[in-house]
């Protein structure tokens, strides 16, 4: 067993050495090297190898719809290296459950577009996006969009465009829901302390399109049932069994819960 060397049939792999990208090294193989049958190489071999760039990549940890507890810093992060080009936008949104509505227009056309650095080469770059300024008293909803052109391999001129969309709700409201045939039970508590949240308005609505705005729900749009939490943070949304059966079984129904307090949603 040798460190940094692996042999598989007729293939010898050398790995894990402290080499430098885009540098050339020589491998010397002694003429006395023998195979399993005792046959020698016969002459010294010198193999020249140039180390290519590190593989290009971009890694977004999250996508879709996510919640960030308001007690933590309002930031998101991703990592990339050796990209061709890329950038992102982040802005306020009124659609808390918007999971994927990428525009056909390039993000670079947007006013708040931020380009990503393409240098230095072969270094993992960690991009941190601070969106505190987009929140109200540390709470609210933002929409992050990114598109990055990534080479398919270290020696290829071809590339693919990796896109990411993430909706982030920054809130201190924790919501637990149980659906039944004649009612829905919703428990609302503070994520920071675990305390119940009384007098919170609770709405059961249809979010089939993913683009139902908060104000639309508060005005009654697509709302099937609503209630207010008691002192224990519990709300019971009661409804007719037959109406519920029709509503929940409808192909175009995507049940969602919205909770609203004076300073949080």
């Amino acid at each position: 067993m040798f460190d940094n060397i692996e042999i598989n049939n007729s293939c010898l792999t050398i790995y894990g050495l402290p080499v430098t990208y885009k540098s050339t090294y020589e491998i010397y193989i002694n003429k006395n090297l023998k195979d399993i049958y005792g046959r020698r190489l016969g002459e010294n071999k010198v193999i020249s190898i140039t180390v290519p760039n590190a593989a290009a990549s971009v890694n977004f940890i999250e996508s879709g719809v996510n919640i960030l507890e308001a007690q933590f810093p309002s930031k998101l992060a991703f990592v990339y290296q050796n990209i061709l080009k890329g950038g992102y936008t982040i802005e306020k949104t009124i659609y808390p459950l918007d999971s994927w509505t990428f525009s056909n227009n390039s993000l670079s056309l947007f006013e708040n577009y931020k380009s990503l650095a393409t240098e230095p080469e072969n270094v993992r770059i960690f991009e941190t996006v601070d969106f505190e300024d987009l929140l109200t008293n540390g709470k609210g909803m933002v929409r992050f969009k990114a598109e990055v052109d990534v080479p398919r391999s270290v020696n290829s001129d071809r590339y693919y465009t990796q896109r990411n969309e993430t909706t982030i709700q920054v809130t201190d409201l924790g919501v637990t829901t149980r659906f039944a045939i004649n009612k829905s039970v919703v428990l609302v508590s503070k994520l920071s302390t675990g305390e119940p949240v009384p007098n919170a308005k609770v709405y059961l609505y249809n979010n089939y399109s993913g683009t139902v705005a908060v104000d639309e729900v508060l005005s009654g749009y697509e709302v099937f049932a609503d209630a207010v939490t008691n002192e224990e943070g519990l709300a019971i949304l009661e409804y007719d069994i037959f109406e519920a059966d029709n509503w929940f079984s409808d192909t175009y129904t995507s049940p969602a819960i919205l909770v609203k307090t004076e300073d949080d949603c």
Side-chain angles (χ1 to χ4, degrees), residues 11 22 87 95 97 124 148 181 185 189 193 215-216 251:
C11 180
K22 302 175 71 173
Y95 306 110
L97 298 179
R124 298 177 71 195
V148 183
I181 190 61
V185 180
S189 57
T193 65
D215 287 345
E216 291 178 317
T251 305

Side-chain angles (χ1 to χ4, degrees), residues 70-111:
Q71 60 182 308
F72 297 113
S74 302
K75 299 178 181 180
L76 64 83
F78 59 96
V79 60
Y80 64 95
Q81 71 175 2
N82 291 351
I83 64 172
L84 294 177
K85 64 177 182 179
Y88 65 86
T89 64
I90 189 165
E91 58 189 1
K92 287 184 177 181
T93 181
I94 58 175
Y95 306 110
L97 298 179
D98 183 11
S99 59
W100 187 261
T101 56
F102 212 97
S103 170
N104 291 327
N105 297 325
S106 173
L107 284 183
S108 61
L109 300 177
F110 289 75
E111 183 177 350

Side-chain angles (χ1 to χ4, degrees), residues 43-214:
E43 61 180 9
N44 294 327
K45 293 285 186 178
V46 180
I47 302 173
S48 180
I49 295 178
T50 299
V51 180
N53 282 333
S57 64
V58 58
N59 182 22
F60 298 100
I61 299 176
E62 303 290 351
S63 63
V65 177
N66 294 272
I67 289 180
L68 174 64
E69 295 185 35
Q71 60 182 308
F72 297 113
S74 302
K75 299 178 181 180
L76 64 83
F78 59 96
V79 60
Y80 64 95
Q81 71 175 2
N82 291 351
I83 64 172
L84 294 177
K85 64 177 182 179
Y88 65 86
T89 64
I90 189 165
E91 58 189 1
K92 287 184 177 181
T93 181
I94 58 175
Y95 306 110
L97 298 179
D98 183 11
S99 59
W100 187 261
T101 56
F102 212 97
S103 170
N104 291 327
N105 297 325
S106 173
L107 284 183
S108 61
L109 300 177
F110 289 75
E111 183 177 350
N112 61 345
Y113 178 81
K114 181 179 179 181
S115 298
L116 296 175
T118 56
E119 294 180 342
E121 285 186 321
N122 304 313
V123 174
R124 298 177 71 195
I125 301 174
F126 291 85
E127 185 78 9
T128 302
V129 183
D130 190 331
F131 51 89
E132 176 69 29
D133 292 343
L134 298 176
L135 305 177
T136 302
N137 298 323
K139 299 169 185 174
M141 296 169 289
V142 297
R143 183 73 167 154
F144 171 81
K145 298 182 181 182
E147 55 183 16
V148 183
D149 290 346
V150 184
R152 291 191 175 275
S153 68
V154 294
N155 297 317
S156 175
D157 294 330
R158 302 178 62 190
Y159 68 90
Y160 64 92
T161 300
Q162 184 164 337
R163 294 182 170 89
N164 177 274
E165 287 211 20
T166 304
T167 296
I168 303 174
Q169 302 178 48
V170 184
T171 180
D172 192 37
L173 299 176
V175 181
T176 303
T177 304
R178 292 293 183 268
F179 294 111
I181 190 61
N182 62 338
K183 68 181 69 176
S184 292
V185 180
V186 180
L187 180 65
V188 183
S189 57
K190 293 183 178 181
L191 293 171
S192 56
T193 65
E195 297 175 339
V197 179
N199 301 317
K201 297 179 179 179
V202 180
Y203 302 86
L204 171 61
Y205 71 101
N206 181 11
N207 188 63
Y208 177 78
S209 65
T211 55
V212 178
V214 170

